[in-house]
Amino acid sequence: MTETRTPRVGQVKEITSLSNPIVKDIKALALKKYRDEQNAFMAEGLKLVIDALDSGWTIKTLIYSKAGRGNAAVEKVAARTVASGGLVLEVSEKVLGAITRRDNPQMVVGVFEQKLMKLSDIAPKGDDVWVALDRVRDPGNLGTIIRTVDAVGAKGVILLGETTDPFSLETVRATMGSVFSVPVARATPDVFLQWKTKTKAALIGTHLKGSVDYRTPSYAGRPVVLLMGNEQQGLPENLSSACDELVRIPQAGRADSLNLSVATGIMLYEARRAALAIGERL
Ligand code: SAM
């Protein structure tokens, strides 16, 4: 059982200077290069940090503002951080604002180790639903999709090709904490297509020129991977031609297409309709 006593003096470092090297390293996490170098990323908010710890994520550093001193919940999280070998920093509002690039930062920020799932460890079964995203560019879209995957009880997200970083501050913010409960894997399109030949899952692609309405395929009773295209270009030929079915969401008005995260939400609710109807969780 984890020791959760209040950290002793000496286990919490007080920092007020923006030029402190530890603060500089944490600020650098705003850039992907340094996130990858440090294998780390930031998440803001006490609830998120507690959820992450409860889900088994490894905390490297806990940062809280002076306002958090004496707060029982903050002290408990600080004790858990120390117990797992992490660093605890008490910083000024100015430092916290600079780290999170916000005028009104949250009282608590956690720096966690990045964690990705291996595509080769994914073996869809039963009614599992996965989402594969081809070159997703927008962190808001990716975060919203991770959150929606979580909400509908789908299994996870597979990122294909050059995508936006699931561990950027913008993506993590948009996930509203779901980044800690939704497995994310990365693969090149070629590796994904090889993996596809070995899985039991049906690959259902979404395309403006899809030949069938998205409500036609049967989603229940078999594992499914929903394949979504890039925001600007849609799905390329090598991916769309590998799909078992290519579906279209009907549109009325003049819009060319739906926003990627909206289209993914519609697909996820259709693919999970049977499971949600019997009230799995909602
Ligand atoms: N100009 C792009 C194209 O021609 O495909 C538009 C891409 S759309 C913004 C991004 C992705 O959302 C698409 O690749 C597809 O996966 C999905 N999408 C958007 N609207 C859709 C619709 N009406 N039917 C099926 N998929 C759709």
Side-chain angles (χ1 to χ4, degrees), residues 211-227:
S211 53
V212 289
D213 183 285
Y214 76 108
R215 290 159 290 198
T216 306
S218 159
Y219 297 95
R222 58 174 179 169
V224 161
V225 178
L226 305 174
L227 177 58

Side-chain angles (χ1 to χ4, degrees), residues 101-195:
R101 300 170 175 229
R102 275 191 198 264
D103 290 338
N104 293 307
Q106 301 251 14
M107 190 164 63
V108 172
V109 169
V111 175
F112 291 89
E113 254 177 47
Q114 295 188 13
K115 198 161 64 178
L116 287 173
M117 193 169 180
K118 278 199 200 137
L119 183 65
S120 54
D121 289 340
I122 298 175
K125 56 180 186 336
D127 285 352
D128 288 358
V129 175
W130 285 80
V131 172
L133 299 173
D134 159 46
R135 296 164 299 151
V136 54
R137 286 275 156 212
D138 183 279
N141 277 342
L142 177 55
T144 304
I145 291 168
I146 291 174
R147 182 178 176 184
T148 312
V149 162
D150 188 8
V152 302
K155 293 294 170 191
V157 173
I158 302 166
L159 300 175
L160 303 179
E162 285 291 309
T163 68
T164 193
D165 185 7
F167 298 114
S168 73
L169 206 47
E170 296 85 347
T171 309
V172 171
R173 272 178 194 155
T175 71
M176 297 294 286
S178 294
V179 67
F180 294 117
S181 38
V182 173
V184 175
R186 261 189 191 294
T188 63
D190 286 348
V191 168
F192 174 74
L193 291 174
Q194 282 162 23
W195 171 84

Side-chain angles (χ1 to χ4, degrees), residues 206-208 228-232 234 247-249 251 257-258 263:
T206 54
H207 203 289
L208 302 181
M228 311 298 301
N230 166 270
E231 289 96 332
Q232 272 81 45
V247 302
R248 146 186 60 78
I249 304 168
Q251 295 183 206
S257 62
L258 293 163

Side-chain angles (χ1 to χ4, degrees), residues 2-273:
T2 317
E3 185 61 73
T4 54
R5 261 182 287 140
T6 306
R8 288 189 300 278
V9 177
Q11 290 180 315
V12 178
K13 262 188 203 314
E14 279 190 52
I15 301 182
T16 50
S17 163
L18 286 175
S19 52
N20 179 291
I22 304 175
V23 169
K24 281 189 168 170
D25 275 354
I26 297 173
K27 271 180 66 187
L29 294 175
L31 297 178
K32 181 170 184 338
K33 175 174 175 234
Y34 296 107
R35 283 196 293 277
D36 289 349
E37 246 174 55
Q38 298 181 37
N39 189 35
F41 70 105
M42 254 189 276
E44 303 155 279
L46 181 60
K47 184 183 176 299
L48 240 69
V49 171
I50 294 171
D51 285 352
L53 291 173
D54 289 346
S55 316
W57 287 68
T58 305
I59 189 160
K60 289 169 163 265
T61 310
L62 177 79
I63 307 134
Y64 64 85
S65 68
K66 286 197 162 47
R69 189 189 290 175
N71 175 313
V74 173
E75 287 192 348
K76 201 168 169 190
V77 169
R80 289 178 77 177
T81 304
V82 171
S84 62
L87 189 65
V88 179
L89 308 178
E90 185 181 299
V91 303
S92 59
E93 282 272 314
K94 187 182 68 179
V95 169
L96 204 58
I99 285 173
T100 57
R101 300 170 175 229
R102 275 191 198 264
D103 290 338
N104 293 307
Q106 301 251 14
M107 190 164 63
V108 172
V109 169
V111 175
F112 291 89
E113 254 177 47
Q114 295 188 13
K115 198 161 64 178
L116 287 173
M117 193 169 180
K118 278 199 200 137
L119 183 65
S120 54
D121 289 340
I122 298 175
K125 56 180 186 336
D127 285 352
D128 288 358
V129 175
W130 285 80
V131 172
L133 299 173
D134 159 46
R135 296 164 299 151
V136 54
R137 286 275 156 212
D138 183 279
N141 277 342
L142 177 55
T144 304
I145 291 168
I146 291 174
R147 182 178 176 184
T148 312
V149 162
D150 188 8
V152 302
K155 293 294 170 191
V157 173
I158 302 166
L159 300 175
L160 303 179
E162 285 291 309
T163 68
T164 193
D165 185 7
F167 298 114
S168 73
L169 206 47
E170 296 85 347
T171 309
V172 171
R173 272 178 194 155
T175 71
M176 297 294 286
S178 294
V179 67
F180 294 117
S181 38
V182 173
V184 175
R186 261 189 191 294
T188 63
D190 286 348
V191 168
F192 174 74
L193 291 174
Q194 282 162 23
W195 171 84
K196 194 250 159 194
T197 61
K198 292 181 217 136
T199 78
K200 294 193 184 105
L203 184 59
I204 306 213
T206 54
H207 203 289
L208 302 181
K209 299 196 178 105
S211 53
V212 289
D213 183 285
Y214 76 108
R215 290 159 290 198
T216 306
S218 159
Y219 297 95
R222 58 174 179 169
V224 161
V225 178
L226 305 174
L227 177 58
M228 311 298 301
N230 166 270
E231 289 96 332
Q232 272 81 45
Q233 294 154 17
L235 283 178
E237 169 61 25
N238 63 334
L239 287 177
S240 62
S241 60
C243 291
D244 298 302
E245 275 153 294
L246 212 49
V247 302
R248 146 186 60 78
I249 304 168
Q251 295 183 206
R254 294 178 58 190
D256 285 343
S257 62
L258 293 163
N259 161 278
L260 170 63
S261 53
V262 170
T264 310
I266 292 171
M267 290 302 299
L268 277 168
Y269 268 88
E270 183 60 21
R272 293 280 300 153
R273 187 155 55 95

